[in-house]
Amino acid sequence: MPIKNSTAFDMNAALEATKKALQSEDWREVVAGLLMASQTRPSDVILLADFKAVSKYRLSITTSLKKRGKKVTAEIWCLIETTLFIDAFNRVRRDPDVLELQGLRPAEIDSRKNSTINRAVNRVYGEIIAPPFTEDSLSAHNLRAAGTNIAYHLYGSKGQKLQRFVELQLVHDSKGTVANYDDYYCVDGIGNEITAKGMRSDEPLKTQPKSRTTTRPILDRQIVEQLHELFEGEATTKDCIIRAIAMAKQSQERQAEIERLQRRLQAAEERIEALKTQTHLELIHVYPNSQKQTSPADDPRSMPNADLIGSKKRGAAEEKLRRSVEAIQSYNAGRPFEEQIAINKGSLRKITKVKAQTVNEWADEHSEEIEAYTDAQGHGYRQNVGKDLAVVKWDEAAYGAYEWPEGYFG
């Protein structure tokens, strides 16, 4: 029977998620899978421990995290084939983000990477494993608890208690240092508790990990010396090569990002220039009277904006409509599509307060030009829904500053 308040999870689903995580292109998700597979700490996987494949499901781990800083070597069970584990482990160790952590203490590694790794843990296992009863979110520590329960059912021997299995699996000093790993218990795909032990048999190692069987390159001595000069402090030529590969990869990624940003910038600049040209041509070609005219003082085309708003003079209605069209085009220039305002009879009536018949006649007279602009902008009949037309202002540089009267658009 499971302990009260312990949390059930689907063992087979967790194993499948672990295999999938080891194939991820995101090193943090790979780390999450490695943590589950080996039930080790993030600092072990990222920097401090060394793993070797002993058999199909047995790993040798050498680490200084346990035994109070002393180096300790032990064999532990792995939830997936050790060859897959070692290949994924070596990929992580060669990642530029991980190489940057060289020389840091465990506490420094934890402070830099724990939060990002825990987010990856939730991406990989969040839908399979719930956080324990006493915690709010899933963490790397929880994977150790869940993983040891899986390992116990896969590899536990007859008569062996979970606590003793945990002590051996996690290489702890004593029973007193074993954390509370009864937060979880395993179930099958339909929710039945799994009680069997020794469900999986180990086998001798038939193949070596791909990352450990590569041919050693023969390097020119001068190249080797240059590598060691470049990476002063690296102990071996292999370490220097790994660092060089990582730096090259990082450089390529940064160059690709720079090129991508440059393309976006160029496209944006071209778009801005096109909008400027398009707007200018449309204003001049479609509405040739959009420039301020030299006229008598009572000509509405020369009237200040503040006076034109309430003017009933002959030609004032047409001038209001012309200025409104010009103002809408000016407002739209360079704005995102969703913020733009369409030129139609409705928007012109609301802005000018001109009689509907006059608006209709004027719009019909200029329908070809209005439709050309509308099509060019891609405006539809619902373009102005929910828009505040008060943002449209007649040209204040040409006709003077003004404010729409209070309640004008109400």
Side-chain angles (χ1 to χ4, degrees):
M1 292 291 292
I3 297 174
K4 183 180 179 181
N5 294 332
S6 57
T7 302
F9 70 94
D10 187 333
M11 183 176 81
N12 290 323
L15 286 171
E16 288 301 316
T18 301
K19 293 178 183 178
K20 184 177 179 181
L22 298 189
Q23 299 171 359
S24 174
E25 294 298 322
D26 186 330
W27 71 267
R28 293 157 294 194
E29 293 181 359
V30 179
V31 167
L34 293 172
L35 295 176
M36 171 64 93
S38 62
Q39 302 100 65
T40 50
R41 294 180 174 91
S43 299
D44 270 327
V45 169
I46 291 175
L47 187 64
L48 299 176
D50 186 34
F51 294 90
K52 295 180 181 178
V54 176
S55 62
K56 187 174 183 179
Y57 296 112
R58 293 282 283 177
L59 285 169
S60 171
I61 175 175
T62 300
T63 178
S64 59
L65 264 182
K66 306 177 180 79
K67 300 290 183 182
R68 297 181 178 85
K70 298 178 181 178
K71 288 282 186 180
V72 59
T73 299
E75 289 188 11
I76 60 174
W77 291 105
C78 184
L79 300 188
I80 49 97
E81 293 184 18
T82 55
T83 52
L84 301 178
F85 180 95
I86 296 298
D87 286 338
F89 170 73
N90 285 330
R91 278 202 298 123
V92 167
R93 286 292 179 89
R94 292 167 184 168
D95 191 280
D97 289 337
V98 174
L99 286 169
E100 290 178 355
L101 303 175
Q102 293 285 343
L104 297 182
R105 296 189 301 273
E108 293 174 319
I109 296 173
D110 291 342
S111 66
R112 290 193 185 189
K113 297 300 181 183
N114 265 9
S115 59
T116 189
I117 289 174
N118 284 337
R119 286 194 291 272
V121 166
N122 280 274
R123 289 198 300 273
V124 175
Y125 297 103
E127 295 183 0
I128 301 170
I129 304 174
F133 179 74
T134 57
E135 299 179 29
D136 296 327
S137 61
L138 198 64
S139 67
H141 173 76
N142 302 140
L143 293 191
R144 303 185 75 206
T148 51
N149 275 273
I150 296 176
Y152 178 62
H153 292 297
L154 293 179
Y155 310 116
S157 58
K158 184 177 180 180
Q160 188 177 33
K161 299 295 184 182
L162 174 61
Q163 182 172 343
R164 180 54 182 161
F165 182 88
V166 171
E167 291 171 11
L168 296 172
Q169 179 69 2
L170 302 178
V171 203
H172 282 292
D173 289 351
S174 65
K175 295 180 180 179
T177 59
V178 177
N180 185 12
Y181 287 96
D182 54 12
D183 286 334
Y184 290 102
Y185 68 98
C186 297
V187 297
D188 59 21
I190 58 175
N192 295 322
E193 182 186 0
I194 295 175
T195 57
K197 290 181 292 185
M199 298 171 66
R200 181 185 284 173
S201 299
D202 195 20
E203 299 175 13
L205 196 63
K206 296 179 180 179
T207 59
Q208 291 294 323
K210 294 179 181 179
S211 56
R212 292 290 177 91
T213 58
T214 54
T215 303
R216 181 187 298 273
I218 300 175
L219 298 178
D220 182 273
R221 178 177 295 179
Q222 186 177 7
I223 295 176
V224 173
E225 291 175 353
Q226 290 175 343
L227 282 171
H228 281 279
E229 288 177 4
L230 181 61
F231 301 107
E232 186 177 358
E234 295 294 343
T236 66
T237 302
K238 174 185 173 182
D239 292 335
C240 292
I241 294 173
I242 291 174
R243 289 290 300 277
I245 292 172
M247 288 182 65
K249 179 181 177 182
Q250 199 170 46
S251 177
Q252 289 176 342
E253 291 173 349
R254 288 175 178 171
Q255 183 60 36
E257 178 66 11
I258 290 171
E259 292 175 357
R260 186 181 68 82
L261 291 173
Q262 287 176 336
R263 289 195 297 270
R264 289 182 60 186
L265 177 61
Q266 182 179 355
E269 290 174 344
E270 291 174 354
R271 175 62 176 161
I272 290 171
E273 289 302 316
L275 286 170
K276 288 180 179 178
T277 304
Q278 178 186 18
T279 303
H280 177 72
L281 290 175
E282 285 164 351
L283 286 171
I284 300 302
H285 175 69
V286 178
Y287 302 103
N289 293 327
S290 63
Q291 308 304 310
K292 184 177 179 181
Q293 303 293 316
T294 302
S295 306
D298 60 349
D299 189 336
R301 291 176 296 181
S302 302
M303 192 176 292
N305 288 324
D307 296 337
L308 182 64
I309 292 176
S311 177
K312 302 293 184 182
K313 288 185 177 182
R314 183 181 179 86
E318 289 76 8
E319 179 62 13
K320 292 177 184 179
L321 290 164
R322 186 195 65 76
R323 291 190 193 183
S324 296
V325 168
E326 183 183 71
I328 292 174
Q329 290 185 106
S330 178
Y331 176 82
N332 288 344
R335 290 186 182 276
F337 175 80
E338 60 272 12
E339 295 181 11
Q340 294 182 20
I341 292 173
I343 299 174
N344 54 42
K345 294 176 181 178
S347 60
L348 294 177
R349 278 200 305 272
K350 290 179 181 178
I351 295 172
T352 63
K353 297 297 186 282
V354 171
K355 291 180 180 179
Q357 182 179 350
T358 304
V359 172
N360 292 341
E361 291 174 354
W362 189 91
D364 290 342
E365 182 182 347
H366 297 85
S367 61
E368 184 176 343
E369 295 91 341
I370 292 175
E371 288 174 5
Y373 177 81
T374 299
D375 291 343
Q377 299 300 106
H379 295 159
Y381 73 98
R382 294 183 58 82
Q383 180 70 26
N384 296 341
V385 173
K387 301 283 176 61
D388 180 10
L389 298 183
V391 297
V392 177
K393 298 291 291 291
W394 295 335
D395 188 350
E396 293 182 307
Y399 303 103
Y402 74 104
E403 295 295 336
W404 296 117
E406 185 176 353
Y408 189 78
F409 291 95

